[in-house]
Amino acid sequence: MSCNYTRVSEFVIVGFPSLQPEYFVLVAWFFFFLYVTTAVGNLLLVVVFTLERSLHEPMYIIMVSLALSDIGFATVALPKLIARYWWNDGSLGFHTCFFQMHMIHYFGSLNSLILLTMALDRYLAICFPLRYPTMMTNQTMAGLTLFCWGIAHIFPGISTISFTLMPFCGPNKIIQAFCTTMSLKSLVCVDTSRQYSLAFASAMFILYVPLAFIIFSYICIVISVLRMAKGQGRMKTFSTCATQGCIIAIYYIPRFFVYVTPFIPNLTMTPDKSIATTVFYSLFPPVINPFIYCLRTKEIKQIFRRWEFQTKNTVLTNPLFSFPSLSNVLTPERNGL
């Protein structure tokens, strides 16, 4: 069947095609828990950064940027998926679906650029410690961050515009957790090999050019630490790098297999496995990023301890929270007896 115009006014998010209806509510609760955890954890970091001037440093500017990006991604991706399984409402308007597709790929590209900026910051801090304060100021990091937020629109924008102009003649069920280039590709009623190849090349560029620099920076960091650090400091640096390396691997490696599957004849993936992989690499990092990159840092732990100490002092010294002693209550003169 072919046509040269669009007859689809809305799309329907199917989600996991093999999932039985009796598990829908459980899956909805799972995604709702992911969303709340992602939003609260990352929002907490933004609040702490806003209130504490001591955190106004380049490293924490990157972390706040990553937190805002994670909140944005979860807000774009999860509400409709939750509605799909909670109220069996997976419908998305035609342009709403393309807006979601653009923002999904936008935040994916943005996170890749943020990880690149984070790697650059650590590389300069560890390999050039004396020059770091002058090379990486708050103004420099803010400029890099704004640049990442702006340039991340380019490649997803090209892909979104090209697919928006494609004709959709009838099928509108998206076998995926949200609207993506790959999920919409099969619904277009003309050959999309050129558009998909362009989208694939853009994705590979925005994802794996930063990954190449991240790997290079980590190699330089490891070499520098082996030369300079001793004992406990060396182990602490390696532990931090290993933890961050795991998150980076989760972010990049599954994406590679999902993207290259259509191009490798002997490599096949069922729709359920493809969706599970997409959900894993899309939603797992935003949940744990605040704990890996932020809440484990010494400065933020100290801030939370100070806040806890101040709260306890406020409770103990505030008259509103004080109670009369037992001797005062039982003394006759105090009670007019």
Side-chain angles (χ1 to χ4, degrees):
M1 179 180 181
S2 63
C3 63
N4 56 8
Y5 61 94
T6 293
R7 295 191 301 190
V8 172
S9 60
E10 69 174 15
F11 295 98
V12 178
I13 300 293
V14 174
F16 297 94
S18 301
L19 186 67
Q20 299 300 314
E22 56 264 29
Y23 298 110
F24 280 13
V25 174
L26 180 63
V27 172
W29 274 108
F30 172 74
F31 286 123
F32 178 76
F33 173 78
L34 281 184
Y35 180 64
V36 172
T37 304
T38 300
V40 171
N42 286 283
L43 189 60
L44 177 62
L45 171 64
V46 176
V47 171
V48 172
F49 176 82
T50 303
L51 296 178
E52 291 291 332
R53 294 187 61 85
S54 61
L55 296 182
H56 294 181
E57 301 176 356
M59 180 179 66
Y60 288 102
I61 293 175
I62 308 174
M63 291 181 178
V64 169
S65 182
L66 182 63
L68 292 173
S69 177
D70 287 340
I71 293 172
F73 181 90
T75 301
V76 169
L78 281 175
K80 177 49 65 175
L81 187 60
I82 295 171
R84 160 70 183 97
Y85 287 113
W86 222 326
W87 300 292
N88 199 27
D89 178 17
S91 61
L92 277 172
F94 182 84
H95 295 291
T96 304
C97 180
F98 280 101
F99 173 77
Q100 186 190 60
M101 183 183 82
H102 174 78
M103 298 307 295
I104 291 287
H105 294 307
Y106 167 71
F107 284 118
S109 302
L110 176 60
N111 277 14
S112 182
L113 295 174
I114 290 174
L115 293 177
L116 168 63
T117 308
M118 188 179 296
L120 173 64
D121 178 75
R122 293 299 86 202
Y123 169 72
L124 295 176
I126 295 174
C127 298
F128 303 94
L130 298 180
R131 298 172 60 187
Y132 175 78
T134 57
M135 296 172 65
M136 190 60 74
T137 64
N138 285 352
Q139 291 76 16
T140 302
M141 182 54 67
L144 285 174
T145 301
L146 291 175
F147 178 75
C148 290
W149 280 79
I151 200 173
H153 277 292
I154 294 177
F155 292 116
I158 294 172
S159 177
T160 301
I161 292 173
S162 63
F163 269 83
T164 303
L165 300 176
M166 294 290 101
F168 293 84
C169 304
N172 67 341
K173 295 186 182 298
I174 297 175
I175 312 300
Q176 185 51 267
F178 23 74
C179 294
T180 63
T181 301
M182 291 183 64
S183 62
L184 289 174
K185 172 178 173 289
S186 60
L187 303 182
V188 180
C189 53
V190 296
D191 180 30
T192 60
S193 56
R194 182 174 176 273
Q195 287 77 10
Y196 184 74
S197 296
L198 176 63
F200 176 80
S202 300
M204 292 299 100
F205 180 84
I206 200 67
L207 289 174
Y208 293 104
V209 169
L211 178 61
F213 177 81
I214 291 171
I215 294 174
F216 167 78
S217 68
Y218 270 72
I219 293 173
C220 293
I221 288 171
V222 169
I223 294 174
S224 179
V225 169
L226 288 174
R227 290 176 177 174
M228 299 170 56
K230 301 283 186 182
Q232 186 177 0
R234 177 187 297 178
M235 292 303 299
K236 182 178 179 181
T237 303
F238 282 153
S239 175
T240 302
C241 289
T243 304
Q244 295 179 358
C246 290
I247 299 300
I248 291 170
I250 290 172
Y251 184 82
Y252 284 103
I253 295 177
R255 271 182 166 86
F256 176 77
F257 284 104
V258 170
Y259 282 129
V260 302
T261 297
F263 296 94
I264 302 178
N266 295 328
L267 184 61
T268 58
M269 189 178 293
T270 64
D272 288 301
K273 290 181 180 179
S274 177
I275 294 170
T277 304
T278 302
V279 168
F280 174 72
Y281 72 63
S282 298
L283 301 178
F284 184 65
V287 173
I288 63 176
N289 277 342
F291 305 96
I292 297 299
Y293 288 116
C294 311
L295 302 183
R296 290 175 70 247
T297 61
K298 179 181 178 181
E299 292 84 359
I300 292 185
K301 286 181 179 180
Q302 290 176 344
I303 288 171
F304 283 148
R305 292 194 191 100
R306 175 160 52 82
W307 284 5
E308 182 182 8
F309 179 76
Q310 291 174 347
T311 302
K312 287 181 180 179
N313 281 349
T314 301
V315 171
L316 293 175
T317 58
N318 194 327
L320 294 177
F321 295 97
S322 62
F323 298 93
S325 65
L326 185 61
S327 59
N328 288 341
V329 173
L330 297 180
T331 300
E333 292 81 5
R334 297 273 183 181
N335 291 277
L337 298 177

